[in-house]
Amino acid sequence: MNELASLFIRSAFVENMPLTLFLGLCTFLALSRRPGTAVGLGIAVIAVMGVTVPVNHLLFRFVLAPGAWSWAGLPDLDLSYLRLLTFIGVIAAAVQLVEMVLDRYLPALFTTFGVFLSLLVVHCAILGGSLFMADRNYDLAESAVFGLGSGTGFAVAVIMLSAIRRRLVYADLPDGLQGLGIAFILTGMMSLGFSAFAQVVAP
Amino acid sequence: MSPWSTLTDPILRQNPVTLQILGICSALAVTTTLAAAATMAAALTVVIVCAAGIISLLRNHLPSSIRLIMQIIIVASLVIVVDQLLQAYFYEMSQRLSVFVSLIATNCVVLGRTESFALHNRPLPAMVDALGNGLGYSLVLVILGSLRELFGRGTLLDVEVLRTVEQGGWFEPLNLMLLAPSAFFLLGGLVWAIRSWRPEQVETSEFGLTRVKEPGP
């Protein structure tokens, strides 16, 4: 239990997807102009990562990993090179599923962030989460916690950045820094702040 | 548009990374050393050129309802090929790049170019455009990679350039350069530099202050 809690903290803060691993930066910067959209994006990422990482774990372990087909008399079959295609397929299906469920039961929420949901199919943080899970050999519980933790980390970071950028709307910046430039520098400062978390969990 | 400007426009004037915020996801993580950045840049350029060529050949046969998923599958297959090649011939480098080569599959530069250009153009212009964008992306990666390696370790491609204090020289390595925040600061600075040089790229502020003309003497 304790290990799972520390894995959650580590994936959410120490190895924060956008701030320390640079994953999912495209949406992180493009959709952080307004806090409202940032909250929608954050919730969508948590939902999709929480579903896809464990599902991909099961698929990887029982279908793709070397030796997974030994019960069928094929002990040498190693399908792990197909993991990228499989993961992308699962993510696309999961996004579609989350979309349908929201459309049916929470139409108000669906209209708020319907557009971002389909964007998440090509979201580096979500695919990266599944790939890290496969690389680090997490078990099922760890994958679920890792997915939720990474999603939470992304949500926290994007909401914080949108709040800061909201404040900067009235700032008188040099012309060249307006927009993208200052967003990068803000992200760098947040990243400096988050690097302090490395001390918190260090064993 | 002439083929030459199709090739050169994306390198500086419409750079995919600094102007269009595309593809930075994978651009920053691999720039701690120049060698890693250059490998990543080469891998992406190969993938984007091949993907643009294939998709452009298929453009009249792809129904628009499944075009996105087809593009993703084509790109992902190419990425798998590149990844396997790296693992076969440059094993150490592929270990250092870990999952980031696979993440080319979701790189917005690739999908952005195939979706907006290759689907509507003949193979040759599509591949030239893809090459231009690949080179534009590579340029940013190589600049960041060399700055971070030079000031973070005092080396360039593992060759000593600035002799560090540990080696009996004068240069104190800046450890910050090897950490995540420096990549953001450097890229922010690069965007600033390019936009000061080419003011037409400056974004207009939503609620900017109006410039008041200075009263004359």
Side-chain angles (χ1 to χ4, degrees):
Chain A
M1 204 59 226
N2 215 353
E3 280 161 24
L4 289 183
S6 99
L7 178 66
F8 182 86
I9 299 289
R10 197 163 56 115
S11 54
F13 296 107
V14 182
E15 292 179 352
N16 188 286
M17 282 279 172
L19 294 178
T20 57
L21 295 172
F22 309 103
L23 293 177
L25 275 178
C26 308
T27 41
F28 182 73
L29 292 173
L31 297 180
S32 59
R33 285 172 200 273
R34 288 189 177 71
T37 51
V39 171
L41 175 73
I43 296 173
V45 170
I46 297 180
V48 175
M49 279 195 91
V51 175
T52 54
V53 178
V55 170
N56 279 334
H57 168 78
L58 291 177
L59 267 179
F60 184 68
R61 179 133 149 246
F62 294 109
V63 181
L64 299 176
W69 289 89
S70 49
W71 55 268
L74 295 165
D76 295 331
L77 192 61
D78 176 5
L79 292 177
S80 54
Y81 64 91
L82 282 179
R83 68 177 194 188
L84 186 59
L85 273 179
T86 321
F87 289 175
I88 291 178
V90 169
I91 290 170
V95 169
Q96 195 77 46
L97 199 73
V98 172
E99 236 172 36
M100 279 151 63
V101 170
L102 280 184
D103 194 17
R104 173 74 180 78
Y105 295 105
L106 297 165
L109 202 59
F110 178 71
T111 42
T112 326
F113 56 84
V115 195
F116 310 122
L117 272 173
S118 26
L119 261 178
L120 295 185
V121 178
V122 287
H123 196 268
C124 323
I126 293 174
L127 182 63
S130 291
L131 290 169
F132 276 125
M133 172 274 300
D135 261 12
R136 294 176 186 168
N137 293 319
Y138 287 140
D139 65 20
L140 185 58
E142 283 171 339
S143 320
V145 170
F146 177 70
L148 283 176
S150 305
T152 312
F154 184 88
V156 168
V158 77
I159 292 168
M160 277 168 61
L161 180 67
S162 71
I164 303 177
R165 286 181 78 173
R166 174 105 282 194
R167 297 256 150 183
L168 273 184
V169 160
Y170 298 107
D172 188 21
L173 298 166
D175 282 344
L177 268 182
Q178 196 68 253
L180 186 56
I182 194 68
F184 274 125
I185 291 176
L186 282 177
T187 315
M189 289 177 178
M190 283 171 64
S191 171
L192 267 184
F194 268 64
S195 62
F197 282 113
Q199 315 295 324
V200 178
V201 191
Chain B
M1 206 155 61
S2 74
W4 182 245
S5 69
T6 315
L7 179 67
T8 53
D9 262 6
I11 296 180
L12 274 180
R13 206 178 311 152
Q14 304 211 337
N15 190 292
V17 181
T18 61
L19 183 62
Q20 305 172 16
I21 353 180
L22 292 178
I24 27 183
C25 316
S26 50
L28 297 173
V30 295
T31 50
T32 43
T33 60
L34 180 54
T39 317
M40 183 72 188
L44 182 114
T45 311
V46 170
V47 169
I48 191 173
V49 170
C50 296
I54 295 175
I55 288 165
S56 172
L57 281 175
L58 291 175
R59 71 187 186 283
N60 294 326
H61 307 285
L62 283 178
S64 73
S65 51
I66 57 159
R67 66 173 201 288
L68 264 183
I69 197 82
M70 284 305 295
Q71 289 175 36
I72 294 177
I73 289 175
I74 291 170
V75 173
S77 318
L78 287 166
V79 170
I80 293 177
V81 173
V82 169
D83 194 22
Q84 299 280 321
L85 282 176
L86 277 180
Q87 281 182 20
Y89 295 105
F90 302 96
Y91 185 71
E92 275 183 20
M93 185 50 82
S94 80
Q95 290 300 301
R96 259 163 68 191
L97 293 179
S98 71
V99 303
F100 289 101
V101 174
S102 308
L103 284 173
I104 294 178
T106 54
N107 194 309
C108 333
V109 176
V110 181
L111 216 58
R113 286 336 284 174
T114 57
E115 172 80 14
S116 67
F117 200 89
L119 271 179
H120 314 289
N121 285 283
R122 296 196 295 133
L124 199 63
M127 286 169 80
V128 171
D129 170 77
L131 181 66
N133 276 282
L135 290 178
Y137 176 89
S138 310
L139 183 73
V140 174
L141 243 70
V142 167
I143 293 179
L144 286 181
S146 16
L147 283 176
R148 288 180 76 183
E149 185 174 349
L150 183 63
F151 293 112
R153 293 168 209 259
T155 60
L156 218 47
L157 286 174
D158 288 334
V159 178
E160 188 176 67
V161 177
L162 303 172
R163 182 166 278 262
T164 55
V165 173
E166 274 174 36
Q167 308 277 333
W170 55 272
F171 180 65
E172 185 78 52
L174 303 165
N175 282 327
L176 178 68
M177 279 291 170
L178 300 179
L179 301 178
S182 77
F184 289 115
F185 290 137
L186 284 174
L187 196 49
L190 191 66
V191 169
W192 190 4
I194 291 183
R195 289 186 179 179
S196 311
W197 177 43
R198 291 195 170 272
E200 71 271 14
Q201 295 187 358
V202 169
E203 292 170 47
T204 46
S205 159
E206 250 176 296
F207 304 97
L209 302 177
T210 354
R211 299 250 172 257
V212 181
K213 224 174 160 188
E214 303 259 329

